[in-house]
Amino acid sequence: MSRENYGMMNQEIQDDEVTIDLMELFSALWAKKTIIILSAVFMALVAFVGTKMFVTPKYTSVTKLFVMTKNDDTSASATYTDLQTGSMLTKDYMELVKSRPVLEKTISKLKLDVTPEELVDMITTETPDDTRIMSISVTDDDPKEAKQIADTLRKAVSVQITEIMNADSVNTVEEGNLPTSPSSPNVKKNMMLGALLGLIISMGFVVLIFILDDTVKTPDDVEKYLGLNVLTSIPIQEGSSAPKRAKQQRESRNAVKSRR
């Protein structure tokens, strides 16, 4: 036999072995499907209970404002460059929202028991592309307090923008809303992540046990792993104990010897 043919045969044997292993692994997973599903359900319930009991809900209030500069031209002759410049200035205004004077004025006005650094972590600012509408979002444990902080921030930063950036006026687009439902945590998302974690852990255990299990269970395993042909197999009665089976085997061997 040529080396090429021998190599092809080896490759075919290896491919067959991989296919058989994958099928056996799938069978092992399928046999434990009930445990895997129950693990996913259990972890989803754990995530649900943990989210409800140990995670504090957060509420977000959003307020929006629009800045008019002294150089604005409201006529049709306003160019795209003018609008782009105004949009770039809005990013400067966003920085003013988190400036220390604005934060300290807000804390003093509402008598908040937080530091400026802690208040910054509660604030998010953003502006849509090519616009001068600035959005200020405040997240807090108390929905009423979130609205109060958002509105106070808007008023405080309006003064700063007018004085520092030489803006003509700052108009309110939207006052802070009173949130009726929490913005976080996401219970459904946490439950899905919990279920996924349960699936991964349970399937991982099944795969690990399957890989570490090197016992020979069937005549096919003897031929596959030891390369020996099985002439016959002796069925063992289900439920019989190990000592009893050993005793039966010894009696059978003694009977054979006596006949000889």
Side-chain angles (χ1 to χ4, degrees), residues 152-203:
T152 306
L153 273 173
R154 187 193 68 247
K155 294 174 182 177
V157 78
S158 297
V159 175
Q160 289 292 101
I161 292 173
T162 304
E163 293 178 353
I164 297 176
M165 305 298 292
N166 198 29
D168 187 26
S169 64
V170 181
N171 302 327
T172 301
V173 178
E174 290 181 11
E175 292 187 354
N177 64 305
L178 182 62
T180 56
S181 58
S183 55
S184 66
N186 191 325
V187 179
K188 291 182 179 180
K189 181 181 178 181
N190 289 351
M191 287 182 66
M192 290 178 63
L193 291 175
L196 181 61
L197 182 62
L199 283 174
I200 293 173
I201 291 176
S202 57
M203 291 175 68

Side-chain angles (χ1 to χ4, degrees), residues 2 14-15 26 49 51 60 62 64 66 85 87 136 151 172 183 226-227 231 251:
S2 66
Q14 289 175 5
D15 291 343
F26 177 77
V49 174
T51 301
T60 302
V62 181
K64 296 180 181 179
F66 179 82
T85 302
S87 178
I136 303 172
D151 288 333
T172 301
S183 55
L226 302 180
L231 299 178
E251 288 177 353

